Amino acid sequence: MLVRAAPRASRGLWRDAFRRLLRNGPAIVGLVLIAIFVVGAVFAPIIAPYDPTVGNLMNSMKPPSLAHLMGTDLLGRDEFSRVLYGARISLTVGVVAVMCGLAFGMVVGAVAGGAGGVLDAVLMRVIDILLAVPGILLAIAIVAWLGHGEVQIIVAVGVSYAPIFARLLRGSLLALRETDFVLAARSMGASTPRILMRHMLPNALTPMIVQATLALATAIIDVAGLGFLGLGPGDPRIAEWGEMLTDASRFLQNAPYLIFFPGAAITISAIGFNLLGDGLRESLDPRLKR
Amino acid sequence: MLRFIVRRVLSAIPVLFGLSVILFLFLRLLPGNPAVAILGQHATPQLVAQIDAALGLDKPLYVQYLQYVWGLLHGNFGASFVDGRTVASTFLVRFPATIELTVGALIFAVGLGIPLGRLAARHPNGWIDGAVTVLSLFGISIPIFVLGYTLVFIFGVELHWLPAVGQLDPRLNVTPVTNFSIIDAILSGNLAAVEDAVAHLILPSIALGSIPLAIVTRITRASVIDVSNEDYVRTARAKGLTEKRVDDRHIMRNAWLPVTTVIGLQVGSLLAGAVITETVFAWNGVGSWVVTAIENHDLIVVQSLIMIFALIFLTVNLLVDIGYAVLNPRIRYS
């Protein structure tokens, strides 16, 4: 196949990828959706018209109105304010959990893929063990073990994601180990840590970034799922989307809006991260774009 | 081939061994004493010592572990702290419901996902493709409990088309024989009971099947598009074969492989999803049992169920691998 010359000098991988991302419609939609939730979460104390924890029992279970855009719950608390504050929990817990899983997984993956040998074999068996427990079950077991709380949820979700990142990074590193530029660096006498950090890791980053973005979507769903199963932060003063849904499920008949708004919040934020993740995949690896 | 199968089976053993160690320690390292959990406020030091001795908790840790593994190998997972029944007996009663739900979800996901994926692949980037892409994005983004309650509200509460929760109307008096509600309904010879059992299965199957549906659709679409660009497909068209024949004999036959693998891999997500789906629909399966066990701090049950879920998951993955090797003559068994 004929290769056309580049029309202008390359601006570097990341700037190229960023420009492609900005031209990717679905990714922009994803970014906008995420931005809405981030702004809502950060400025919740300013935007929220009411205190999310204080209700007025005279105002219990009122359908959406101008005074209460998303209605009120059983205790007369403003649902809109609670959804806004819920974004704080979901986003911070989700993001921190994925970051922890990513950091831990990358260390394990880098050690396994970089060192090889016995260490690699042992670490990979441990990862196999963690991956043998399907999906959210591992997180459920960990929260059941550690007890309620935001930190526990972060640990649980982080641990359940770490093996995925570790395996992904190890796979990329193994493939890179045989590439010409790594052989060249080695033949020039570069040390193994230097090759790993300077030559291999930067080239193994793109699938990790994509995977982490997509993991944010599932992490938000998982965090809400834990809350839904009664394994949430466990503090009734905290508004959490999953717990709000459990509370609301008893009033499905009379107050379906109490299910609709937190449910839509979880779904839309997950859609945002999924769109952004797919967009990143396409812009970081232009060969994928059909 | 046989060697490949044996090696794959053997490779699952260290994983199960490691998991059993972790789960054993998980239970033993918990703060608090099982005897206290059983006795509750009636605990006296003598009674605690008696129960410790009865449960073997006064022995060294490695002896306890060996006893635990010995039990596992004999299908003895221990007994619930709460109702005293063995995990194995309750599991056998509840597992059929989970199988029914999982199969229902798979039928929904595969039955709808493959036609949708083929439809989308027919005109890539056309409007149908766009609609299918949006649908599958929605499918992987909406949590099971949100979709579940939405379905219950629309079809159960508002329209009254389908029953919202449970497996069988208790007024039908179907005697549990196999604990598969549909099979039991058929055995009862009551047609209304069969209809009722199927109707109860529809909404939970859709809720649980939404993620697999999205994934099966995406994979089918990608796989069909991939194969459609192959030279032999162009050759088949050039020979003047009808579009239907090209589709069935040349494209789908090759596009099936990745699709079947992905379907097999969905079993893990279905098992995990069953925990939430069964809670939403008050479905008396293994998934809702996990949740009640956690609520009751019945950790022997939690631990055993995680072990059993992992065992099922590994077994299915193994079968998928073997099936893939059997289906695909191009694969090498090394």
Side-chain angles (χ1 to χ4, degrees):
Chain A
M1 203 166 106
L2 213 73
V3 179
R4 236 178 296 158
R8 53 180 169 247
S10 169
R11 290 169 303 263
L13 171 77
W14 298 106
R15 280 192 63 180
D16 268 348
F18 186 64
R19 288 177 65 100
R20 274 193 297 271
L21 188 69
L22 290 185
R23 267 182 273 133
N24 185 318
I28 295 297
V29 174
L31 266 177
V32 170
L33 292 178
I34 297 166
I36 292 173
F37 279 96
V38 171
V39 168
V42 171
F43 296 105
I46 300 169
I47 305 172
Y50 301 89
D51 184 328
T53 58
V54 179
N56 174 2
L57 285 176
M58 301 293 288
N59 233 341
S60 167
M61 308 255 278
K62 289 278 187 304
S65 62
L66 275 178
H68 297 280
L69 289 176
M70 298 180 183
T72 59
D73 69 1
L74 181 69
L75 301 176
R77 295 174 296 195
D78 179 52
E79 188 76 355
F80 176 57
S81 307
R82 291 180 66 74
V83 169
L84 271 178
Y85 273 87
R88 300 189 133 193
I89 300 291
S90 285
L91 288 179
T92 42
V93 172
V95 169
V96 176
V98 170
M99 301 280 263
C100 290
L102 184 66
F104 191 62
M106 279 185 74
V107 170
V108 174
V111 170
V118 180
L119 198 56
D120 179 28
V122 171
L123 287 175
M124 282 302 115
R125 288 296 83 73
V126 175
I127 284 171
D128 282 346
I129 292 168
L130 291 177
L131 285 176
V133 183
I136 194 181
L137 262 178
L138 188 61
I140 291 175
I142 295 172
V143 176
W145 186 30
L146 297 178
H148 291 276
E150 284 166 48
V151 178
Q152 284 87 336
I153 298 173
I154 289 173
V155 171
V157 177
V159 169
S160 63
Y161 283 53
I164 301 168
F165 293 120
R167 177 174 274 190
L168 185 67
L169 182 61
R170 173 184 175 268
S172 317
L173 291 181
L174 285 187
L176 283 168
R177 219 154 56 180
E178 308 305 324
T179 52
D180 290 339
F181 69 90
V182 170
L183 286 178
R186 188 166 291 140
S187 70
M188 288 172 70
S191 65
T192 307
R194 190 186 158 82
I195 294 175
L196 194 62
M197 297 303 291
R198 296 295 299 271
H199 298 274
M200 289 166 77
L201 271 181
N203 282 292
L205 274 184
T206 47
M208 305 295 287
I209 294 170
V210 172
Q211 186 70 40
T213 313
L214 294 173
L216 282 171
T218 39
I220 285 176
I221 295 175
D222 285 353
V223 170
L226 288 173
F228 170 74
L229 293 175
L231 297 168
D235 184 342
R237 286 165 305 173
I238 296 177
E240 196 276 326
W241 291 341
E243 284 175 358
M244 288 165 72
L245 276 163
T246 315
D247 293 343
S249 66
R250 287 176 291 157
F251 314 112
L252 195 55
Q253 198 148 6
N254 309 323
Y257 55 90
L258 288 179
I259 291 274
F260 178 78
F261 291 111
I266 306 170
T267 310
I268 294 170
S269 49
I271 287 179
F273 284 111
N274 275 322
L275 284 174
L276 181 64
D278 286 341
L280 277 173
R281 194 207 313 269
E282 283 167 12
S283 41
L284 285 170
D285 188 354
R287 280 164 299 179
L288 272 179
K289 186 85 180 155
R290 243 192 284 275
Chain B
M1 185 71 202
L2 194 66
R3 281 179 59 188
F4 168 76
I5 295 174
V6 169
R7 203 170 45 234
R8 276 298 275 110
V9 173
L10 289 180
S11 73
I13 290 174
V15 172
L16 286 173
F17 168 74
L19 191 64
S20 73
V21 173
I22 292 175
L23 287 173
F24 172 78
L25 292 176
F26 154 80
L27 203 64
R28 289 298 176 272
L29 293 180
L30 271 174
N33 181 317
V36 178
I38 295 170
L39 294 164
Q41 40 186 291
H42 309 294
T44 62
Q46 290 88 347
L47 280 173
V48 169
Q50 265 181 28
I51 291 201
D52 274 355
L55 294 172
L57 295 174
D58 51 348
K59 303 209 175 68
L61 211 58
Y62 73 93
V63 176
Q64 289 184 37
Y65 173 74
L66 289 177
Q67 282 175 339
Y68 163 71
V69 171
W70 188 248
L72 284 190
L73 292 175
H74 291 77
N76 175 12
F77 291 89
S80 157
F81 285 153
V82 175
D83 59 8
R85 281 188 222 171
T86 62
V87 173
S89 64
T90 312
F91 180 82
L92 290 178
V93 173
R94 280 178 165 257
F95 193 46
T98 303
I99 298 179
E100 251 177 350
L101 177 60
T102 315
V103 170
L106 262 183
I107 291 175
F108 169 71
V110 174
L112 197 59
I114 290 180
L116 277 181
R118 289 179 72 170
L119 200 65
R122 196 155 295 162
H123 301 288
N125 301 324
W127 70 269
I128 295 180
D129 187 23
V132 170
T133 308
V134 170
L135 187 77
S136 54
L137 173 69
F138 196 69
I140 54 165
S141 302
I142 188 167
I144 291 173
F145 44 96
V146 174
L147 180 59
Y149 282 129
T150 310
L151 292 170
V152 167
F153 178 69
I154 297 175
F155 297 103
V157 175
E158 287 291 304
L159 298 172
H160 295 289
W161 284 2
L162 289 164
V165 290
Q167 285 137 287
L168 261 178
D169 192 329
R171 283 168 299 184
L172 289 163
N173 280 321
V174 175
T175 30
V177 183
T178 58
N179 291 310
F180 288 94
S181 54
I182 292 182
I183 296 179
D184 285 345
I186 294 172
L187 289 179
S188 76
N190 181 350
L191 198 66
V194 181
E195 267 176 37
D196 186 64
V198 174
H200 274 93
L201 190 59
I202 294 176
L203 294 183
S205 299
I206 296 175
L208 179 58
S210 65
I211 297 173
L213 169 68
I215 295 173
V216 169
T217 308
R218 282 184 167 191
I219 287 291
T220 308
R221 173 187 177 274
S223 179
V224 169
I225 290 177
D226 252 14
V227 176
S228 304
N229 292 331
E230 293 283 344
D231 289 340
Y232 61 79
V233 173
R234 199 175 319 139
T235 310
R237 288 217 173 90
K239 280 198 305 190
L241 295 185
T242 61
E243 203 52 30
K244 184 178 162 21
R245 200 174 162 82
V246 174
D247 227 35
D248 293 344
R249 299 293 296 272
H250 295 259
I251 296 180
M252 275 322 280
R253 193 165 273 200
N254 287 289
W256 265 111
L257 271 171
V259 176
T260 39
T261 316
V262 163
I263 293 171
L265 293 177
Q266 288 315 303
V267 171
S269 97
L270 286 172
L271 284 176
V275 175
I276 287 172
T277 314
E278 290 182 4
T279 307
V280 172
F281 290 94
W283 196 261
N284 276 320
V286 183
S288 54
W289 190 23
V290 175
V291 179
T292 29
I294 288 175
E295 279 166 3
N296 295 330
H297 298 282
D298 199 349
L299 288 162
I300 287 204
V301 173
V302 177
Q303 174 202 29
S304 309
L305 289 179
I306 291 171
M307 192 75 200
I308 294 171
F309 274 48
L311 195 64
I312 298 171
F313 186 49
L314 288 174
T315 311
V316 173
N317 281 356
L318 188 73
L319 293 176
V320 170
D321 269 9
I322 294 171
Y324 191 73
V326 171
L327 278 177
N328 188 353
R330 282 169 294 201
I331 203 169
R332 290 280 197 82
Y333 308 121
S334 56

